[in-house]
Amino acid sequence: MVDLRSDTVTRPTAAMRAAMAAAEVGDDVYGEDPTVIALEQRVARLFGHEAALFAPSGSMANQIALQLVVPPAHELLCDANAHVVTYEFGAAAAIGGISTRTWPFAGGQLDVDVIASMIRPDGYWAVPTRAIAVEQTHNMAGGVVIGLDTLRALRGVADAAGAALHCDGARIWHAHVADGVPLAEYGALFDTMSVCLSKGLGAPVGSVVVGSAENIAKARWIRKRMGGGMRQAGILAAAGLYALEHHIDRLADDHARARRLADALAPYGVVDADRVRTNLVLLDLSKTALDAHGLAGRAREQGVLVSVIAPRTVRLITHLDADDAAVDRAIAVLSPLLAA
């Protein structure tokens, strides 16, 4: 099977497995796992922050970060298709007691003036806005990279309002590779970040919350409360350390393969190849006679797995386990299906 459903389907490489097997470990709930400590320090340094916390999943890392910057019964602003409100099962409300309000989804593009106009200050008998969240890169926008100037303008809006700025940076490594922006430059713009190790970087488990030392000390309590305290987690952290050392620069290969997919399928009117800059390719079937489940089912019959994310939208993601031959096979299967 050629599996392009997600970059979460990757398996640890032999070298990554060797690093995991050799990891020095301790009890991380006691703060005594040296490999976890090394991972947290490494990620904090990369983004220019004081501290970081290893968490089992991206959703948990996001929700820990949101609880750090938004008190219960206060408000978070984000876009209507943001992962933190679309794919995390209402955790902000259910676990954090956080009220969310969204601006209209615009394909990953941010209108900073619209966001600024939505902020509710204290004192007006309304839920006050405490934080703004953005997603870099944006999943539902097909891996769009938010430009640095836009993020700087949004930082200015947050500062003026006394609000925090959170980045769901599950695929921020892709933005770094695509635009060449140093990770520390991204880090300087955000109060809290969640960065994922188990998507494009190919680790089997884990994300990292990044922030100030004070916030990360609080985050440890929140993680334990949410059931995220792990014991000899250095076995998992070792995979993350290996990924940071060996799998960031190679993301350019995934970007090139995604663009090759997009170029091959663009003639069928389902994708604008020029918008594909990272590892996601969204196929818009609205101008065809196809529906997403039908296309995915027929592709599966021929050994190609794709993800259905809406009734007329299919997602393809290139990753560590999808080589050139896999992309060739996907093109060979999908092209006649789209042409039919």
Side-chain angles (χ1 to χ4, degrees):
M1 281 285 186
V2 172
D3 195 343
L4 301 180
R5 290 174 299 170
S6 178
D7 42 8
T8 60
V9 302
T10 58
R11 294 152 298 182
T13 63
M16 182 181 285
R17 287 176 184 268
M20 295 169 71
E24 184 181 359
V25 299
D27 191 321
D28 182 48
V29 173
Y30 287 123
E32 296 174 355
D33 190 301
T35 308
V36 172
I37 292 169
L39 172 67
E40 292 170 343
Q41 291 177 343
R42 174 77 181 275
V43 174
R45 285 195 304 270
L46 283 174
F47 288 96
H49 275 260
E50 291 179 330
L53 178 71
F54 187 42
S57 72
S59 291
M60 183 180 285
N62 269 331
Q63 295 303 321
I64 289 170
L66 294 183
Q67 290 177 59
L68 291 173
V69 294
V70 185
H74 291 236
E75 181 179 79
L76 171 75
L77 296 181
C78 60
D79 81 73
N81 273 349
H83 195 281
V84 294
V85 293
T86 304
Y87 291 115
E88 297 183 12
F89 285 16
I95 300 173
I98 296 169
S99 178
T100 54
R101 194 154 48 94
T102 61
W103 61 82
F105 178 65
Q109 301 303 312
L110 300 183
D111 188 326
V112 175
D113 292 335
V114 167
I115 298 169
S117 73
M118 293 178 66
I119 293 174
R120 290 172 172 162
D122 288 309
Y124 290 90
W125 299 101
V127 179
T129 304
R130 295 301 183 214
I132 303 165
V134 296
E135 193 171 323
Q136 178 78 310
T137 64
H138 200 296
N139 177 18
M140 295 297 287
V144 164
V145 180
I146 304 170
L148 192 60
D149 289 343
T150 299
L151 293 174
R152 286 171 174 159
L154 190 60
R155 176 75 261 179
V157 166
D159 287 342
L165 192 58
H166 170 67
C167 179
D168 174 359
R171 295 185 176 93
I172 199 163
W173 321 103
H174 293 275
H176 161 65
V177 169
D179 275 7
V181 175
L183 295 172
E185 197 157 350
Y186 282 132
L189 296 171
F190 297 103
D191 298 284
T192 56
M193 304 180 74
S194 166
V195 299
C196 188
L197 304 170
S198 63
K199 291 189 172 69
L201 296 191
V205 174
S207 287
V208 183
V209 184
V210 183
S212 68
E214 180 182 3
N215 269 339
I216 295 304
K218 296 175 184 176
R220 292 187 183 279
W221 284 87
I222 297 171
R223 184 185 67 177
K224 189 69 165 67
R225 184 184 301 134
M226 294 173 70
M230 298 179 286
R231 299 298 179 176
Q232 287 71 37
I235 294 171
L236 301 174
L241 282 168
Y242 183 90
L244 291 173
E245 185 67 30
H246 299 281
H247 290 172
I248 293 179
D249 291 342
R250 66 147 306 280
L251 294 175
D253 297 336
D254 296 341
H255 298 179
R257 289 174 179 135
R259 179 57 189 260
R260 189 153 66 84
L261 267 171
D263 284 337
L265 302 180
Y268 305 105
V270 294
V271 60
D272 179 355
D274 289 337
R275 288 179 55 82
V276 176
R277 299 189 56 241
T278 58
N279 68 322
L280 275 69
V281 180
L282 297 188
L283 303 185
D284 177 5
L285 306 178
S286 61
K287 296 180 181 178
T288 75
L290 299 166
D291 68 274
H293 283 290
L295 179 65
R298 279 176 266 176
R300 176 186 283 270
E301 290 171 357
Q302 299 182 58
V304 175
L305 303 180
V306 299
S307 184
V308 174
I309 62 170
R312 305 296 296 278
T313 308
V314 165
R315 186 186 70 180
L316 317 176
I317 299 189
T318 53
H319 51 77
L320 182 64
D321 285 359
D323 58 13
D324 288 331
V327 170
D328 290 341
R329 178 62 183 160
I331 292 170
V333 167
L334 291 171
S335 294
L337 293 177
L338 292 168

